[in-house]
Amino acid sequence: MKWQSLQGLILFLIFSFLFVSCGMKPLQEGEYALIHNEVIVEDAALANDAQFSMSDLQSAIIQKPKGRTISFKRYQPTILDTTLTAKSCVQLRNHVSDMGWLDAQTSYDLIAKGQRVVAFYRIVPGQRYSVRNISYDIDDHNIDSLLRGNGVLQGSLLRSGQPFSTATMQEERNRITSWLNNNGYMLFNKEHITFRADSSSSEHFVDLTLQLARYRHNSSDSLHDHTRYYLRSVSYVSPTYDKVPLRAHTLKINTLLQEHDPYNADAVQRTYNKFARLRAIRSTNITFNQPSSITQNDSLPLGGAGGGSSLDAVVQIIPRKKHSIQLQPEGTNTAGDFGAALSVVYENRNVFRGSEVFSLSGRVAFEAISGLEGYTNSNYEEYGVEGKLTFPEFIIPGLSDAFHRTHNATTELSVSYNRQNRPEFHRRVFTGRWRYRWTSNRGNIGYTFDLLDLNYISMPWISSTFKHDYLDSLSNRNAILRYNYEDLFIMKIGIGIKKLTEHYSIQANVETAGNLLSGLSQIFPFPTNSQGKYKAIGIAFAQYVKFDFDYTRLLRLNYHNTLALHGRFGIAVPYGNSDILPFEKRYFSGGANSVRGWSVRTLGPGGYISRDGRINFLNQTGDVKLDLNAELRTDLFWKFQGAVFIDAGNVWTLRDYNDQQGGRLRFADILKQIAVAYGIGLRLNFDYFILRLDLGMKAINPAYTTTREHYPIAHPNFKRDYALHFAVGLPF
């Protein structure tokens, strides 16, 4: 089957999935389809309240209409149930009352058109109640002393004069419970804290009393003070080994539980998290045993108020298999040239009994290249090997155990060698890297620091045909091309930061290369090449600075639909010992994760128009990149999801190059040179990975010779203006 025929079949399947029969399933006589819930608040004070959220009110409504998706598929409607409508009114009143409008009134109206109905819920809140006095009734005198002595009550979330809110009361309840759980009171829970609210003494004011009850094991047990627990010892066991397969230092820096300290629930969870990071460990279980020799309320050295009871912490460690081997076959397709690859990965997950991971991988690839003339060989071969050693901590002399315990970090040392044989040239790449990774205590901010990153690129052989056509020809003096087929040495450092939340991610990276070598060249007599560039280890070294910024925002529209917004900006500036960026550091546009109306590396720079497809993979690169994307994602059926998207962006150069006419960044031309695409996508979501198929169409093309080419959205040519992308994972 020809590639064009295969693409046509794939496109037909996409449209078959996304655009099937539309409309709503027919209703029986007397049935009404609920198509919308509308909440009307008849008081500006409630609508303007900081705690007010229309989405929270919508969540209080029990019966909700089925959300339509972009598939236009015939869907099962929600049949109106007036019993649930009445119950929703009660829930809305309770929700508003919890915010302080204790006299709120709610009602509903149903407006029908045919067999479709809209439910209108009306809320008349009345006047809001405020907190007047706050008092405490704490039966346990030891806890009372601790809370007052450590400023816990003084830091209360409840304040006189603030609006009455059960949500604030619940937060205060959780805050005190958490503090006690982290200060020895292992068995304390929030059910021991209640509130008494008295609104009878004054109109629209409430007097609050926080009540903390003493401990009772069961209904037949007598009340007594809560027991405060302290750790007498921390030990480690492994059910599969005679001794724990980790050395003492590793156990120590990953355990937040300390002898003689009060029981701390937060430290327990953080210990679980620390051990979960270790690749040598499959699972961990922490148990606490009370020694029979020490009875409850016996005083300990650090017992504090009311003494305490002793606990022995036992950390049970279940290890993974130490060795593993994986085979990873691949299929490749580069512009219609098919090939295959095989990777073999060996891992040792506990090299020095500190959960250090050593991996050794090898890769072999082959691809049959078609359409090349004048070359003796028409195949591509690649051989690669990489060794990596990862430590689950900072490898920096002088760091204390306390520092290691409070930071989740890894240190990576890696070396690799890659051998590529193409019909046009042979290429050898050697890399070496020393990298640190760590996360914040909350775990949602990650950092990367490349202390040293070396890249040695060698071109031991270039075919006479390629050399004549592109490198030596007087009619084709392509500076970017020539630079990227010379031997090159890159010595860089870099730092990156990434913050990931449920609703957005933000990432920034900065790297710079050649500065250390440039500084040394001013002190020591470095040799130079024919262009006057300094050389290190016999090769001219690259010098540049590069900055990248990436932002993604997810807006949940309803249960079935999400709007994803994305922006990416990058700029790289060569200077000093370099006039041109190395090819690996240049930006390109188009492809599955960029402007999807173009294939990869076929857009830009600026308004550059392709002239010679054999070398455009270099000509269509730049020093500046901008991507802007908006994608509406929707659930279809089973594990299938659909999407519609709009992409915009391009790349530009910072300098004029003869071979990239119209590619230089000029602010007056930016808007005219923004490429725009639109399209649809089909995804198969298996949770742990996503298969993605996107069809992109050009809308505005900055590289044109006629008006029809400039605005494909008004003058579409399907053969010319589409690109099909198959990928794994979401585009952003």
Side-chain angles (χ1 to χ4, degrees):
M1 179 182 291
K2 293 184 178 180
W3 173 237
Q4 290 81 2
S5 301
L6 180 60
Q7 287 179 314
L9 176 61
I10 293 173
L11 296 179
F12 172 77
L13 293 176
I14 290 179
F15 282 101
S16 298
F17 274 117
L18 292 182
F19 299 101
V20 293
S21 60
C22 62
M24 184 176 68
K25 186 177 180 179
L27 299 171
Q28 301 297 321
E29 184 177 354
E31 290 183 336
Y32 292 87
L34 177 64
I35 61 173
H36 183 62
N37 291 321
E38 183 73 23
V39 179
I40 301 173
V41 180
E42 298 184 350
D43 191 301
L46 173 58
N48 295 327
D49 183 79
Q51 293 185 350
F52 173 78
S53 170
M54 185 61 73
S55 62
D56 289 344
L57 294 179
Q58 287 284 352
S59 299
I61 299 175
I62 299 173
Q63 194 174 33
K64 297 176 175 61
K66 293 282 178 63
R68 288 290 299 269
T69 69
I70 63 172
S71 68
F72 303 106
K73 184 179 179 181
R74 184 174 296 232
Y75 67 99
Q76 180 72 40
T78 298
I79 307 301
L80 177 69
D81 185 337
T82 55
T83 303
L84 297 179
T85 308
K87 289 182 178 180
S88 295
C89 260
V90 175
Q91 289 206 165
L92 284 170
R93 182 188 182 282
N94 292 339
H95 180 79
V96 175
S97 296
D98 289 343
M99 296 172 61
W101 278 272
L102 303 182
D103 300 327
Q105 299 296 321
T106 58
S107 61
Y108 70 88
D109 293 314
L110 300 175
I111 307 299
K113 184 176 181 180
Q115 286 185 285
R116 299 169 182 251
V117 67
V118 176
F120 291 88
Y121 294 91
R122 301 181 186 276
I123 302 174
V124 182
Q127 187 170 343
R128 193 174 195 180
Y129 284 70
S130 299
V131 176
R132 185 176 65 174
N133 298 316
I134 303 169
S135 59
Y136 297 91
D137 181 10
I138 301 176
D139 288 343
D140 189 314
H141 68 278
N142 292 326
I143 288 181
D144 184 68
S145 298
L146 282 171
L147 294 179
R148 296 183 189 277
N150 289 277
V152 180
L153 298 184
Q154 290 87 329
S156 174
L157 302 176
L158 301 172
R159 296 284 189 274
S160 178
Q162 71 181 183
F164 174 80
S165 169
T166 58
T168 305
M169 294 160 58
Q170 184 62 39
E171 290 177 14
E172 176 68 1
R173 191 187 190 198
N174 293 336
R175 186 184 71 92
I176 294 176
T177 299
S178 178
W179 191 91
L180 292 172
N181 289 159
N182 292 335
N183 285 271
Y185 289 92
M186 181 174 66
L187 302 181
F188 190 92
N189 62 69
K190 64 181 181 180
E191 304 305 323
H192 291 105
I193 298 176
T194 57
F195 285 92
R196 184 173 67 245
D198 184 2
S199 60
S200 61
S201 59
S202 179
E203 187 176 4
H204 299 115
F205 282 95
V206 175
D207 292 329
L208 284 180
T209 302
L210 184 149
Q211 298 174 311
L212 192 152
R214 301 174 74 197
Y215 181 78
R216 175 183 286 167
H217 182 65
N218 53 52
S219 57
S220 61
D221 191 16
S222 60
L223 291 170
H224 55 79
D225 287 351
H226 294 266
T227 302
R228 194 178 190 194
Y229 293 92
Y230 295 82
L231 298 182
R232 187 183 72 162
S233 66
V234 180
S235 60
Y236 306 88
V237 298
S238 177
T240 55
Y241 290 91
D242 293 335
K243 63 178 182 178
V244 177
L246 296 176
R247 63 179 185 269
H249 169 75
T250 302
L251 296 172
K252 186 176 182 180
I253 65 174
N254 286 285
T255 303
L256 279 299
L257 305 171
Q258 301 297 306
E259 294 180 357
H260 305 307
D261 282 356
Y263 170 86
N264 188 316
D266 182 59
V268 174
Q269 185 58 53
R270 289 166 62 194
T271 299
Y272 273 117
N273 296 341
K274 294 280 280 185
F275 276 98
R277 293 177 56 252
L278 302 182
R279 295 282 305 280
I281 304 302
R282 188 175 70 187
S283 64
T284 306
N285 184 43
I286 304 174
T287 58
F288 297 91
N289 304 316
Q290 188 171 2
S292 58
S293 59
I294 300 180
T295 60
Q296 183 174 310
N297 292 327
D298 284 347
S299 295
L300 294 174
L302 300 178
S309 187
S310 180
L311 291 174
D312 291 329
V314 180
V315 183
Q316 185 185 67
I317 295 174
I318 301 176
R320 295 181 185 271
K321 290 183 178 180
K322 186 175 181 179
H323 306 278
S324 70
I325 296 179
Q326 295 180 356
L327 296 178
Q328 300 172 350
E330 304 173 38
T332 62
N333 176 17
T334 305
D337 294 332
F338 292 92
L342 178 66
S343 297
V344 181
V345 182
Y346 163 77
E347 274 193 350
N348 182 328
R349 301 188 180 97
N350 199 13
V351 181
F352 308 119
R353 296 185 66 246
S355 194
E356 304 88 356
V357 178
F358 171 74
S359 65
L360 183 64
S361 61
R363 186 176 188 271
V364 178
F366 174 86
E367 192 171 271
I369 299 178
S370 59
L372 286 179
E373 297 180 0
Y375 296 92
T376 58
N377 186 14
S378 60
N379 297 324
Y380 168 74
E381 298 175 356
E382 179 183 347
Y383 309 91
V385 62
E386 180 183 33
K388 181 187 293 185
L389 182 60
T390 303
F391 299 85
E393 59 182 289
F394 280 116
I395 302 300
I396 301 176
L399 295 181
S400 65
D401 290 345
F403 182 89
H404 285 296
R405 278 193 291 268
T406 55
H407 291 79
N408 295 325
T410 59
T411 301
E412 297 177 3
L413 304 176
S414 65
V415 293
S416 66
Y417 176 74
N418 186 265
R419 178 187 178 97
Q420 304 168 11
N421 291 343
R422 289 186 59 89
E424 309 97 317
F425 55 82
H426 291 176
R427 182 183 177 94
R428 310 290 183 255
V429 181
F430 172 82
T431 63
R433 176 182 296 151
W434 185 327
R435 168 178 287 178
Y436 295 106
R437 299 179 186 269
W438 70 99
T439 60
S440 64
N441 287 332
R442 296 180 60 184
N444 65 335
I445 302 180
Y447 305 88
T448 302
F449 175 54
D450 290 330
L451 177 65
L452 184 64
D453 193 318
L454 304 175
N455 291 264
Y456 172 81
I457 303 167
S458 172
M459 305 293 297
W461 176 83
I462 299 176
S463 74
S464 57
T465 302
F466 187 84
K467 193 173 182 182
H468 174 269
D469 289 348
Y470 299 122
L471 304 184
D472 296 338
S473 174
L474 294 176
S475 62
N476 185 25
R477 292 283 186 177
N478 191 313
I480 298 175
L481 190 68
R482 290 198 310 273
Y483 179 73
N484 286 282
Y485 286 90
E486 298 173 353
D487 294 349
L488 185 65
F489 180 57
I490 303 174
M491 179 179 178
K492 77 177 184 72
I493 62 173
I495 189 167
I497 180 172
K498 182 175 183 178
K499 182 175 183 179
L500 181 64
T501 71
E502 181 182 358
H503 302 292
Y504 72 89
S505 69
I506 184 170
Q507 184 173 356
N509 297 280
V510 179
E511 69 177 64
T512 181
N515 291 334
L516 177 60
L517 294 174
S518 178
L520 293 175
S521 69
Q522 305 304 311
I523 302 173
F524 302 100
F526 276 41
T528 58
N529 62 14
S530 58
Q531 290 82 38
K533 303 301 182 182
Y534 289 108
K535 297 193 298 183
I537 61 173
I539 302 173
F541 60 85
Q543 191 171 7
Y544 64 87
V545 62
K546 185 177 183 181
F547 170 76
D548 292 281
F549 178 82
D550 195 288
Y551 177 79
T552 301
R553 176 77 179 184
L554 299 179
L555 302 175
R556 187 78 183 208
L557 304 180
N558 54 44
Y559 184 77
H560 293 286
N561 299 288
T562 300
L563 178 63
L565 304 176
H566 173 256
R568 179 188 294 122
F569 173 77
I571 182 170
V573 182
Y575 62 95
N577 212 51
S578 294
D579 298 320
I580 301 172
L581 283 173
F583 176 69
E584 290 81 1
K585 302 301 176 181
R586 297 179 68 82
Y587 296 104
F588 60 87
S589 194
N593 302 306
S594 183
V595 186
R596 284 167 279 184
W598 281 258
S599 298
V600 64
R601 301 183 191 275
T602 61
L603 172 60
Y608 169 79
I609 300 175
S610 171
R611 291 180 175 84
D612 187 341
R614 292 180 294 174
I615 60 172
N616 276 330
F617 69 97
L618 281 173
N619 281 346
Q620 300 199 249
T621 59
D623 310 316
V624 179
K625 179 181 177 71
L626 177 66
D627 273 344
L628 299 171
N629 314 87
E631 180 173 284
L632 179 62
R633 300 166 181 170
T634 185
D635 297 329
L636 297 178
F637 58 91
W638 190 51
K639 297 184 180 298
F640 283 98
Q641 298 173 332
V644 293
F645 56 82
I646 298 175
D647 301 329
N650 207 333
V651 295
W652 293 267
T653 62
L654 293 175
R655 300 174 182 174
D656 285 316
Y657 295 104
N658 292 332
D659 305 288
Q660 293 181 308
Q661 297 287 333
R664 184 175 179 178
L665 177 65
R666 290 179 171 85
F667 290 103
D669 297 331
I670 286 181
L671 292 181
K672 294 188 297 184
Q673 294 180 346
I674 294 290
V676 180
Y678 62 97
I680 59 176
L682 181 67
R683 289 84 194 274
L684 189 56
N685 189 345
F686 292 103
D687 295 331
Y688 51 93
F689 77 96
I690 297 174
L691 298 178
R692 172 165 58 95
L693 193 63
D694 287 340
L695 170 65
M697 294 290 295
K698 297 181 178 68
I700 301 177
N701 185 357
Y704 61 92
T705 56
T706 67
T707 302
R708 298 180 69 89
E709 291 179 349
H710 191 193
Y711 297 104
I713 190 170
H715 310 282
N717 181 325
F718 188 79
K719 183 178 180 180
R720 176 195 66 193
D721 297 328
Y722 88 96
L724 188 65
H725 309 281
F726 177 78
V728 177
L730 293 173
F732 43 83

